[in-house]
Amino acid sequence: MYEQASHSLLNEILIELKPEIGNLRLRHFYMRLGANFYSIHSLFKLLYGERADFKEQMVCLVETLAARYIERPSHLRNSDLAREKNYNWFLSQKWVGMALYCDRFAGDLQGLREKLGYLQELGINLLHVMPILDCPAQHSDGGYAVRDFCRVDERFGTVDDVEALALSLKRRDMLLALDVVVNHTSNEHEWARRARLGDKKYQDYFYVFENREIPDIYEESMPEIFPETAPGNFTWDEEMGRWVMTVFNHYQWDLNYHNPAVLIEMIDIILFWANKGADILRLDAVAFLWKKMGTACQNEREAHLVLQLMKDCCQVTAPGVLFIAEAIVAPGEISKYFGEDAIIAKECEIAYNASLMALLWDAVATKNTRLLRWGVKNLPDKLARATWLNYVRCHDDIGLGFDDNDVRQAGYDPFLHRRFLVEYFTGKYPTSPARGMPFAENLKTGDARISGSLASLVGLESALERNDADGIDAAIRTILLLHSVILSFGGIPLLYYGDAIGTLNNLEYLADPARRDDNRWLHRSHFDWNKAERRRQSGTVEQRIFSALKKMIAIRKELDAFADFDSRQLIQVDNESLLVYARTDPQNIRNRILVICNFNIEAQVLPVITLRTHGFFQPDGLRDVCSGNHIAVEDETINIPALSALWLVE
Ligand code: GLC
């Protein structure tokens, strides 16, 4: 867009740039800057227009973008150009991701390169390496309390190792996703250190207050994130003699985006990692980016403006790099992190589908799809050219973030139903085989989330202990069923390391004082390579899960209808054990897949009449691409085995 005020400012800025930037041949950079500048300028003005140093800050921002562009290696610039041309590349069904801790999976970054074969064997081609940056050993929040954003934790390796990993992945046609923790720093970060010494410039990087007056006002409307271990949202820093905002743990200081210097620093860091070869950057805790008194300090409009700015700036310097929004918030809020307009208000191309994740767990506990169906039906539309990250579980707790209206429509009382789910997954409910633990129980509100490995939550651990073959079978089926949804739903499936071999809960963290109060470590085990070896031994739990997942992944990649062009159609059938949807290839609408998932422990009989009205089973049976079986219609019904999914094609 050409807008005179912003264009005249751009002209001025281009003249004012440091000579070494102005003199270089930066054709693509200037073109992209021109295309994005109106938006960058408008957003920056909305957020910081009142400041006396507004123009100075704008120049600084543009210089940052230029400096990182100049530094951007040529192979990454080429990849930017290729992705600009083929801009839907990431919507393809060919991508299947996995999140893992490099140390827990392979010792360190070099070790990880040696283990890429395992991931490829399963069909993984997008690797989210959990945070690897320098953090204080005792207070790291699993890597999310960063002390130095440009330095890798020496136990894992160096920045060079990250670049080498990125290159190895590229050679294998795999993508690298890395975290940028944009919301907070460790209290040992240089900025915090200087703030503590009384440096006003750096105190302005955080929310720092002399007394409780303002913090108390904030507290009136801010919820608590870790109520058991880190109650309240402010921490008294003895040395600084000030209160500082710490929404997560007391050692994680929230960054103050009211200060443009903070935004520019974080954009610089985003581009630093883009230049090291990350294809995708996971922006952590984005819902919290803007704090405002009198609000919950989550999902504020300005948080979205900050993200739009980050995206526009990234498009200038590294347009091939995608963002993942980690916003584990209410279903109606999550999709806003894609942005509300693909051209003028774009944010992150990918967002965690925390709603689907929670809904799937509901279906596991209830053995029905009442809430799951409401939730899927009411999942907000997302932008075109944006895609979900669909997952069964991740390194965090499982939050029961349903929309209360959906819960009511499914026939439950929201409070009692959540209590049932927590009791179910923590094994307190009489018939439950689950072995989870409650996480972040809030005695004031009755809220709780759930920790535990996938296998232990679906009953594999208890069934193995009882030597109960049927229980083991049901747990394996549930694991596969859940994955069959994330692989077929539309979006990028993200597996969690260990789940493909049925990793159980691990209590080792209890012996570690730095971790024992955080039971999310229950499901952050060291990957057991001996156990993984058993994937080659026919009939073992590991082989049954691994080989079935491997097959489903391979099949997903071949089915164009599974690419994410918003082509999912929910089909309401008269059987509440089932979730049924159709996926269509928009390029060829005859190319359709009917997905039928049965969450019940009993096989279900489904009349085909509804499916026929949607054009399926006319007149013949269909073929399940996973088993290869022909699904025949008998007495106008088909049979769906217990805890299973069918991917049906003509
Ligand atoms: C994100 C991370 C989580 C961490 C939190 C605070 O939600 O996924 O593990 O505790 O941010 O950084």
Side-chain angles (χ1 to χ4, degrees), residues 31 41 76 97 112 147 192 281 302 322 372 392 476 616 644:
M31 211 158 69
H41 173 228
L76 297 178
L112 181 53
R147 181 164 51 192
L281 293 170
E302 290 86 347
L322 307 180
L372 173 59
V392 174
I476 294 177
F616 293 101
S644 71

Side-chain angles (χ1 to χ4, degrees), residues 305-321:
L305 302 182
V306 165
L307 284 169
Q308 286 167 28
L309 259 168
M310 287 176 169
K311 181 77 272 179
D312 288 340
C313 290
C314 190
Q315 279 177 173
V316 173
T317 300
V321 172

Side-chain angles (χ1 to χ4, degrees), residues 130 141 144-145 181 184 226 248-249 252 282 284-285 326 328 395-396 520 524:
M130 297 290 296
D141 188 23
Y144 288 100
V181 186
H184 43 257
F226 297 141
F248 289 88
N249 289 297
Q252 287 165 304
R282 173 192 183 276
D284 185 60
E326 193 253 351
I328 311 303
H395 69 290
D396 279 330
R520 291 176 297 178
R524 297 175 180 174

Side-chain angles (χ1 to χ4, degrees), residues 188-459:
E188 292 187 23
H189 189 284
E190 179 68 14
W191 302 334
R193 215 180 52 76
R194 292 198 189 192
R196 198 175 285 119
L197 292 175
D199 188 333
K200 180 80 181 65
K201 172 177 171 196
Y202 289 99
Q203 288 189 351
D204 280 351
Y205 273 41
F206 302 98
Y207 293 88
V208 170
F209 303 97
E210 280 174 34
N211 56 43
R212 285 292 310 185
E213 262 174 41
I214 303 290
D216 283 345
I217 302 178
Y218 270 109
E219 289 289 14
E220 286 169 12
S221 53
M222 284 175 88
E224 294 175 315
I225 306 301
F226 297 141
E228 289 170 312
T229 49
N233 288 288
F234 293 85
T235 301
W236 173 253
D237 188 89
E238 196 56 55
E239 216 181 314
M240 186 163 60
R242 299 254 190 295
W243 289 94
V244 59
M245 187 186 280
T246 53
V247 169
F248 289 88
N249 289 297
H250 66 86
Y251 51 82
Q252 287 165 304
W253 288 18
D254 284 69
L255 284 164
N256 179 5
Y257 281 87
H258 294 258
N259 178 355
V262 168
L263 176 69
I264 296 170
E265 297 265 22
M266 296 316 290
I267 289 176
D268 191 40
I269 289 158
I270 286 174
L271 297 176
F272 174 85
W273 287 107
N275 282 353
K276 298 301 166 207
D279 299 282
I280 304 178
L281 293 170
R282 173 192 183 276
L283 305 185
D284 185 60
V286 288
F288 297 83
L289 287 181
W290 195 269
K291 317 299 196 296
K292 205 189 274 174
M293 270 186 275
T295 73
C297 298
Q298 290 181 39
N299 306 315
E300 285 303 307
R301 172 169 176 260
E302 290 86 347
H304 289 282
L305 302 182
V306 165
L307 284 169
Q308 286 167 28
L309 259 168
M310 287 176 169
K311 181 77 272 179
D312 288 340
C313 290
C314 190
Q315 279 177 173
V316 173
T317 300
V321 172
L322 307 180
F323 288 170
I324 300 179
E326 193 253 351
I328 311 303
V329 291
E333 293 294 337
I334 298 184
S335 60
K336 295 186 187 159
Y337 289 91
F338 292 123
E340 296 192 65
D341 184 294
I343 296 157
I344 55 165
K346 190 161 143 194
E347 297 179 22
C348 301
E349 291 84 355
I350 309 172
Y352 277 80
N353 197 346
S355 316
L356 178 67
M357 184 270 309
L359 292 163
L360 288 173
W361 285 103
D362 184 84
V364 169
T366 59
K367 317 275 181 274
N368 74 57
T369 61
R370 268 151 58 190
L371 180 52
L372 173 59
R373 285 204 243 172
W374 276 111
V376 170
K377 182 165 176 277
N378 293 338
L379 207 61
D381 287 341
K382 59 180 173 59
L383 281 189
R385 269 187 276 138
T387 196
W388 290 114
L389 198 64
N390 293 317
Y391 63 114
V392 174
R393 72 142 315 103
C394 68
H395 69 290
D396 279 330
D397 46 288
I398 295 170
L400 305 173
F402 317 111
D403 184 317
D404 281 356
N405 287 327
D406 292 346
V407 181
R408 284 189 207 97
Q409 269 169 319
Y412 307 116
D413 170 85
F415 178 79
L416 294 178
H417 191 62
R418 286 198 176 83
R419 194 150 79 190
F420 155 73
L421 291 172
V422 173
E423 284 183 4
Y424 183 91
F425 286 113
T426 53
K428 294 204 185 93
Y429 191 76
T431 56
S432 166
R435 284 284 171 83
M437 287 189 185
F439 177 78
E441 270 182 307
N442 188 331
L443 299 177
K444 287 171 249 169
T445 60
D447 278 350
R449 283 118 69 186
I450 296 147
S451 285
S453 80
L454 166 60
S456 294
L457 290 175
V458 298

